[in-house]
Amino acid sequence: MKNANIAAILVASAALLGCASMQSAGWGSAADDASFAEMIRTGFKAAGPVTLERLKQDETQAFCSDPVASQSAASVKKAEAIEAANLATVKFPADGKWLGDWRAGERVAQSGRGLTWTDAPNQANGGNCYNCHQISAAEISFGTIGPSLYQYGKLRGNSDEVVRSTWTKIYNSKALNACSNMPRAGHMGIIREKDIQDLMALLLSPDSPVNK
Amino acid sequence: MGNAFRNAAFAAVVCFAPFGAVAQERDRTAEGIEAYREALKDGNPAELFEAMGEELWKKKAGPKNASLEQCDLGLGPGVVAGAFAQMPRYFPDTGKVQDVESRLLTCMSALQGIDTREHVEARFNTPKKNELVALATFISGESKGKPVKVSLAHAMERKMFELGKRMFYFQAGPHDFSCATCHGQEGKRIRLQDLPYIPSKEGAAAGWTSWPAYRVSSGQMWSMQWRINDCMRQQRFPEPVYASDMTVALSLYMAATSNGAIVATPGIKR
């Protein structure tokens, strides 16, 4: 058996063991839709720039809010359709420039600002990246919801394929994994094209501290 | 991306612990935070809020010039000891499941004749909300050391539990966040802040049994309503309505999941 296959089996069986309790715990499917909608309706108010529009789910969000069904074998086709729909939203850089300035990228990765009801509506939003990822070695205050991105470029190189899939992941994470925990930073307008170029440089440029 | 890969990636992220240098760094960080918490346990400024809350409980106020001492927190009028450990619960007089804060609003209105709209609408960290936080701190302190014993016997309690659980997984907003994004996996952090895995008993207990808590970083006493409010803010959701069914449902979900764990309020946090 190839190593990759063995790894996949190990991962899958660890997942079965580790997640068994989560699966059987259920997720609130016994709550009826009408009561749930009413609870949401009476549960929130607009605050500053944040309106009740925020609570309207798109198809991806609705699908992924059922953690059992969305991970079930029966939903594979639906998950793939959701990935395809998200993939179709991805806009590659208009000026053909994939890598910007890693220093600016580091600032975007560090910042978790933006889009809460206490944020000023016209300030630049951050990418929240360090909230979930290790990125440079210097920053030890990093979160662990996502995998480490330290040495990202050094480990993968920067072939066309790596560049495009990394852009895709940042622009719309759900294009590659329907129910990823990672936000769709470009698609949802959290950050701008220039920010993505700068983040790309942070992850992929050989002179970025990430790849030293 | 192929589905096998997607599932493997999902599984790896959900269920694998980090390893190597990163894990060591993480452990050191966690130890540092733990030592800090230990040092603070000797003197918890939350005791001041307990005292304030007790005073408010006994003070005559409102158009009816009455105290809250006859408030029924579920164990009969005037019984405070142990009541918090069994909340949220169903109350026949209101026909609703209530947490300590929504129940306090009921008592202020019924016993004292106070129009509580201002209390509901007031922002956190203003006098009207601080009254409720202090009262909740006092009441929760009277259950310290008791096991959480939240009932799911009444149909309304079961319904609210399911609604809360469903809310926990409800994704929306520009970041696609739900409570589960941050609290749906074992052993994760945002930056250096540990995130309890709330669907487990231990995680729910970490979240439930120590609130209201004094937050050292902000120098403020926060109730569970405030805690949920701030997590919803980070979730990029609109603002929760204070004491709404939505907040009570989430609370009941957490409380019932932690059943049997020991109440340790008022807590102290980063």
Side-chain angles (χ1 to χ4, degrees):
Chain A
M1 202 184 290
K2 286 202 203 98
N3 274 347
N5 287 343
I6 295 173
I9 288 168
L10 284 176
V11 165
S13 46
L16 281 175
L17 288 173
C19 294
S21 57
M22 182 177 90
Q23 298 280 336
S24 65
W27 60 277
S29 45
D32 68 282
D33 292 349
S35 304
F36 189 74
E38 179 62 8
M39 180 185 78
I40 298 262
R41 192 187 66 75
T42 56
F44 293 94
K45 59 186 182 184
V50 179
T51 69
L52 299 178
E53 281 298 300
R54 290 263 176 107
L55 298 168
K56 296 205 175 123
Q57 293 181 311
D58 71 7
E59 212 191 350
T60 305
Q61 293 167 339
F63 176 68
C64 298
S65 293
D66 179 341
V68 177
S70 61
Q71 296 303 325
S72 76
S75 301
V76 167
K77 283 234 148 56
K78 174 88 179 160
E80 280 168 2
I82 284 183
E83 286 167 2
N86 279 296
L87 185 60
T89 71
V90 176
K91 291 192 187 73
F92 289 125
D95 57 5
K97 191 173 146 196
W98 296 92
L99 305 192
D101 166 8
W102 68 259
R103 284 185 183 81
E106 170 72 11
R107 286 194 292 276
V108 177
Q110 285 281 0
S111 170
R113 281 191 190 289
L115 299 168
T116 74
W117 71 70
T118 51
D119 286 308
N122 42 14
Q123 75 182 352
N125 297 333
N128 278 295
C129 317
Y130 276 105
N131 281 352
C132 297
H133 293 285
Q134 179 180 39
I135 308 179
S136 77
E139 180 54 85
I140 61 153
S141 172
F142 58 84
T144 56
I145 294 176
S148 174
L149 303 175
Y150 179 55
Q151 307 238 300
Y152 186 86
K154 196 172 181 176
L155 295 170
R156 291 159 207 253
N158 47 18
S159 65
D160 241 30
E161 203 202 319
V162 168
V163 166
R164 279 170 184 271
S165 73
T166 305
W167 183 283
T168 303
K169 187 75 198 171
I170 300 173
Y171 193 96
N172 189 332
S173 60
K174 272 72 168 177
L176 304 173
N177 176 357
C179 294
S180 169
N181 271 336
M182 177 164 154
R184 295 171 283 180
H187 173 57
M188 294 302 235
I190 300 169
I191 56 178
R192 304 156 304 174
E193 185 179 272
K194 179 186 178 302
D195 300 323
I196 303 182
Q197 289 167 327
D198 295 340
L199 287 168
M200 290 284 288
L202 180 68
L203 295 183
L204 291 169
S205 164
D207 24 291
S208 161
V210 170
N211 299 315
K212 292 283 179 208
Chain B
M1 194 180 288
N3 194 61
F5 186 86
R6 182 182 57 240
N7 285 342
F10 171 80
V13 169
V14 170
C15 300
F16 265 20
F19 50 90
V22 177
Q24 274 167 24
E25 192 56 63
R26 183 188 142 34
D27 289 348
R28 243 174 292 145
T29 309
E31 274 167 28
I33 294 172
E34 212 28 66
Y36 175 61
R37 285 202 186 121
E38 279 304 318
L40 284 165
K41 272 187 188 148
D42 293 338
N44 185 346
E47 284 156 20
L48 247 116
F49 290 82
E50 279 187 286
M52 264 168 57
E54 184 169 9
E55 214 168 282
L56 283 167
W57 180 256
K58 293 179 172 161
K59 194 170 124 189
K60 291 194 167 78
K64 295 189 178 169
N65 195 36
S67 78
L68 288 166
E69 285 161 303
Q70 286 309 302
C71 180
D72 183 352
L73 297 168
L75 302 181
V79 182
V80 184
F84 178 80
Q86 300 186 37
M87 296 175 95
R89 67 187 296 152
Y90 175 75
F91 287 90
D93 60 346
T94 53
K96 284 167 76 83
V97 173
Q98 297 183 290
D99 69 343
V100 63
E101 291 172 85
S102 57
R103 188 62 187 169
L104 278 164
L105 292 173
T106 300
C107 289
M108 287 164 85
S109 140
L111 298 174
Q112 301 179 309
I114 291 173
D115 177 355
T116 57
R117 258 175 308 179
E118 267 185 73
H119 284 86
V120 171
E121 272 151 37
R123 301 171 60 135
F124 284 105
N125 203 26
T126 61
K128 287 244 165 1
K129 274 291 193 306
N130 286 342
E131 278 180 26
L132 285 155
V133 173
L135 281 162
T137 306
F138 160 61
I139 294 166
S140 73
E142 296 293 298
S143 283
K144 197 187 191 104
K146 298 224 161 68
V148 179
K149 203 178 140 205
V150 166
S151 153
L152 295 176
H154 195 278
M156 280 293 283
E157 291 165 344
R158 286 194 299 276
K159 180 174 173 173
M160 287 289 270
F161 178 84
E162 290 296 326
L163 283 167
K165 196 160 33 156
R166 184 164 168 184
M167 190 67 216
F168 186 83
Y169 292 99
F170 180 82
Q171 293 187 4
H175 289 62
D176 304 329
F177 286 161
S178 68
C179 310
T181 309
C182 296
H183 299 288
Q185 298 163 63
E186 199 73 71
K188 298 290 176 183
R189 301 184 332 230
I190 288 243
R191 290 282 185 162
L192 294 182
Q193 291 146 43
D194 288 323
L195 299 166
Y197 170 51
I198 290 180
S200 73
K201 181 182 167 184
E202 299 72 37
W208 179 256
T209 58
S210 53
W211 296 81
Y214 182 77
R215 296 191 74 231
V216 180
S217 54
S218 59
Q220 294 164 342
M221 189 74 212
W222 281 25
S223 64
M224 182 50 81
Q225 285 281 334
W226 195 346
R227 177 68 265 171
I228 290 175
N229 179 283
D230 198 63
C231 279
M232 286 286 191
R233 185 182 66 80
Q234 296 180 60
Q235 209 167 313
R236 274 76 179 179
F237 273 35
E239 188 166 6
V241 172
Y242 182 76
S244 59
D245 280 355
M246 188 273 295
T247 59
V248 175
L250 276 172
S251 296
L252 178 62
Y253 167 55
M254 292 193 278
T257 305
S258 76
N259 261 341
I262 302 299
V263 175
T265 52
I268 188 147
K269 298 280 166 174
R270 180 182 73 86

